[in-house]
Amino acid sequence: SQTIHQWPATLVQPVGSPLSLECTVEGTSNPNLYWYRQAAGRGLQLLFYSVGIGQISSEVPQNLSASRPQDRQFILSSKKLLLSDSGFYLCAWSASLAGVRTGELFFGEGSRLTVL
Amino acid sequence: GNSVTQMEGPVTLSEEAFLTINCTYTATGYPSLFWYVQYPGEGLQLLLKATKADDKGSNKGFEATYRKETTSFHLEKGSVQVSDSAVYFCALVKAAGNKLTFGGGTRVLVKP
């Protein structure tokens, strides 16, 4: 069966420090991968999605970047964190872009980032 | 653009009470509608869905009906349990789209 893991689960970082959140999927090949963020009191916002190795689509301009160095690995990064980067980050995968239309989007447990 | 609005929480209920979480949406065309649930310490998981007007999605005692005339997809459960305590997200995707638009989430706390 397919599983998705992301880490770390909780992170407290000072302003200006770098960030790396990692997400891996097991049990499937060539998944579509997504990073979402939930800021306090707001809905889940799609940040990035990837349909293959090295292919990243950015949804909103921001202080973050994403990379996909391997088929089942998706990394969210920042060179210098801002206070506004605080939030709950969720990685997700689907077997296809069309899978999203049937609700077949599977989420990790999330990473809570606090920037001080 | 697309948007989803759902009632703010937290919603606190007693066990066996009736639960309604309102969700309305703005979208062109005929989107598919979803409810996702996030139990404490877990990722989001699909609870139910509806892909066309008047469809009713149901799962685990929860129901929601796709109402195009009121652009709504309210979630209901007739008798909640403590185990239903979670955050509930309403979401949509456009007919030919590949990106989910989520509401802000509603935290539900059921007390014994």
Side-chain angles (χ1 to χ4, degrees), chain B residues 3-56:
Chain B
S3 67
V4 177
T5 302
Q6 57 182 109
M7 58 190 292
E8 291 189 22
V11 175
T12 303
L13 302 165
S14 297
E15 218 168 10
E16 299 184 2
F18 185 88
L19 170 68
T20 299
I21 304 176
N22 290 339
C23 171
T24 57
Y25 67 90
T26 301
T28 55
Y30 298 88
S32 293
L33 303 174
F34 307 90
W35 277 100
Y36 281 81
V37 58
Q38 183 178 32
Y39 298 105
E42 300 182 15
L44 276 72
Q45 55 186 275
L46 180 65
L47 179 60
L48 53 83
K49 65 182 180 184
T51 57
K52 60 183 187 294
D54 299 326
D55 266 4
K56 178 185 285 186

Side-chain angles (χ1 to χ4, degrees), chain B residues 56-74:
Chain B
K56 178 185 285 186
S58 61
N59 186 25
K60 298 182 179 181
F62 289 89
E63 293 183 340
T65 301
Y66 188 145
R67 301 288 189 198
K68 186 155 181 66
E69 63 276 13
T70 54
T71 62
S72 65
F73 193 52
H74 305 323

